[in-house]
Amino acid sequence: MEKKPKILIATPGRNKPMGPFVRSYIELLPFEKIVLFGGFLPFFYQDTSLNKQKLTRYFFTLLSLKNQKWLLAIIKRRFKKILIKEKIDCVVADYLVTGATVREACEELNIPIVANVLGYEIHQFDFVARHKQLYEDFGKYKTFTIPVAKNMIPKLVELGFSEDRIIYSPIGAREEFFKVIPNYHSKQLLAIGRFAHSKSPHTTLTAFSRVLTKIPDAKLTFAGDGELIQECKDLVLKLGIERSVDFIGWIDRAKQLELLQQSAVFVQHSVTAADGDAEGTPVAIIEAAAAGLPIVSTKHGGIVDIVINEKTGFLVDEHDMELMAEKMTYLLENPAIIGEMGNEGRQFIHDHFSMQKHIADVSRAIHNSIKL
């Protein structure tokens, strides 16, 4: 019987493994797994207590005051010891920069790396400039990269990544999202995501204020948190629409499923920020489409790959709040169209962007990397 590969999942989560990709990999990848977190060169096992984390970080802080290079050498040596002790066959890195940071230690032990690639780390100008050499070195090694949007592929190739070792695969929707039954007559629009410049939440709010001039009983529920949250709350007061907008903060998956069931349409106005930051393929849009909600969003990043314009939703140009408001209004006035688009979107996501497909893509990359 062929031995099942043993993988190490490396995630930069500071206090615990976090984020939709790493949670899915921990739960669903069909391999023997070890999980490390704590930074781009992670050094904590998954079950490390908070007290032990604090003591270790305190010790590392003292070392860093004396010699930063010495500290990095200690962390790298610790990481290598874990790779050897656990007899790891492949490292699965959550984020490209994580993979690039652990590359040197893995290369010394001839261990391949598979890394997913998210939006900011390949688009944001300063971030890419700071990590350009790390990326180029990573691309020359035994690696497979998994970008979440097609428009990332040319950028990876430009950095020296081999196109035959790039696998386009956004994270998929879990099975429970396909079972949601939305309320197409609810007049409720739903937005879920970070309050960040690349998601331009203030544009969504301004467009929604124009929807209210034609549909006064429309509602917008906005879930999430971030640096622009207070600015957006101030805008709502300035627009005089506070009775129609509900900011509910961070939500868990159970609350997300509940909101999808209560809503009719999902909205998000993603844009390219001034610093180059841009979306990959928003997980929330994939999940909303899987739940049967038509999408009103922008022609941006990987969104164009997961929303079929005028069939599973509407895509407008970035910053075109007038057309966004028009499409939101049109859908709320036509619940039958909402249902048709929602069903088309659910089927499209099921056929092309399920979690099962994404896990199969990552598993294939792991097996192929071990053969390199």
Side-chain angles (χ1 to χ4, degrees), residues 74-321:
I74 289 173
I75 295 175
K76 177 186 169 185
R77 188 160 62 245
R78 177 177 175 141
F79 183 76
K80 279 183 66 177
K81 283 183 177 179
I82 293 172
L83 292 174
I84 295 168
K85 173 189 170 186
E86 300 293 351
K87 298 180 180 178
I88 298 301
D89 296 304
C90 176
V91 169
V92 177
D94 188 29
Y95 301 165
L96 177 62
V97 69
T98 307
T101 304
V102 304
R103 188 268 316 162
E104 188 175 353
C106 291
E107 188 167 359
E108 289 172 8
L109 298 172
N110 198 33
I111 296 173
I113 306 169
V114 172
N116 58 340
V117 188
L118 304 187
Y120 77 93
E121 58 180 351
I122 199 70
H123 292 307
Q124 196 173 34
F125 304 135
D126 290 347
F127 195 91
V128 174
R130 285 199 311 274
H131 296 91
K132 188 172 185 290
Q133 189 59 56
L134 270 179
Y135 288 171
E136 290 177 349
D137 292 341
F138 183 72
K140 295 171 185 173
Y141 182 54
K142 296 165 54 172
T143 61
F144 274 81
T145 50
I146 305 177
V148 299
K150 290 180 181 177
N151 70 339
M152 294 176 174
I153 296 175
K155 294 193 173 187
L156 289 168
V157 172
E158 188 177 331
L159 286 165
F161 287 75
S162 174
E163 198 160 358
D164 63 357
R165 287 193 268 126
I166 297 173
I167 300 175
Y168 160 67
S169 184
I171 192 169
R174 290 173 176 263
E175 196 59 37
E176 56 261 43
F177 287 95
F178 294 103
K179 298 176 182 177
V180 171
I181 301 175
N183 182 354
Y184 295 140
H185 296 273
S186 69
K187 297 287 195 295
Q188 178 165 294
L189 301 159
L190 176 63
I192 300 174
R194 290 178 300 109
F195 281 75
H197 291 285
S198 62
K199 292 184 185 290
S200 194
H202 54 283
T203 305
T204 298
L205 289 166
T206 305
F208 175 67
S209 70
R210 299 179 185 188
V211 173
L212 290 172
T213 62
K214 295 189 176 180
I215 309 176
D217 59 341
K219 299 288 183 183
L220 173 61
T221 297
F222 228 131
D225 209 342
E227 64 268 28
L228 298 180
I229 181 68
Q230 189 56 53
E231 182 180 321
C232 287
K233 289 180 177 179
D234 293 343
L235 176 61
V236 163
L237 291 174
K238 181 180 178 181
L239 293 170
I241 59 174
E242 61 272 18
R243 292 185 178 180
S244 302
V245 179
D246 191 9
F247 295 104
I248 61 174
W250 181 88
I251 58 172
D252 59 18
R253 190 184 302 161
K255 183 62 176 179
Q256 180 186 4
L257 291 166
E258 179 186 325
L259 289 171
L260 290 167
Q261 188 167 321
Q262 295 167 353
S263 303
V265 178
F266 189 90
V267 296
Q268 181 170 311
H269 198 97
S270 296
V271 301
T272 301
D275 62 359
D277 192 14
E279 296 271 26
T281 299
V283 178
I285 290 182
I286 290 179
E287 292 170 340
L293 274 68
I295 310 298
V296 179
S297 191
T298 50
K299 298 170 184 175
H300 173 91
I303 298 171
V304 299
D305 303 318
I306 58 172
V307 178
I308 306 174
N309 192 27
E310 300 187 358
K311 186 172 182 181
T312 70
F314 293 108
L315 298 179
V316 305
D317 290 335
E318 295 182 20
H319 306 292
D320 191 344
M321 68 180 71

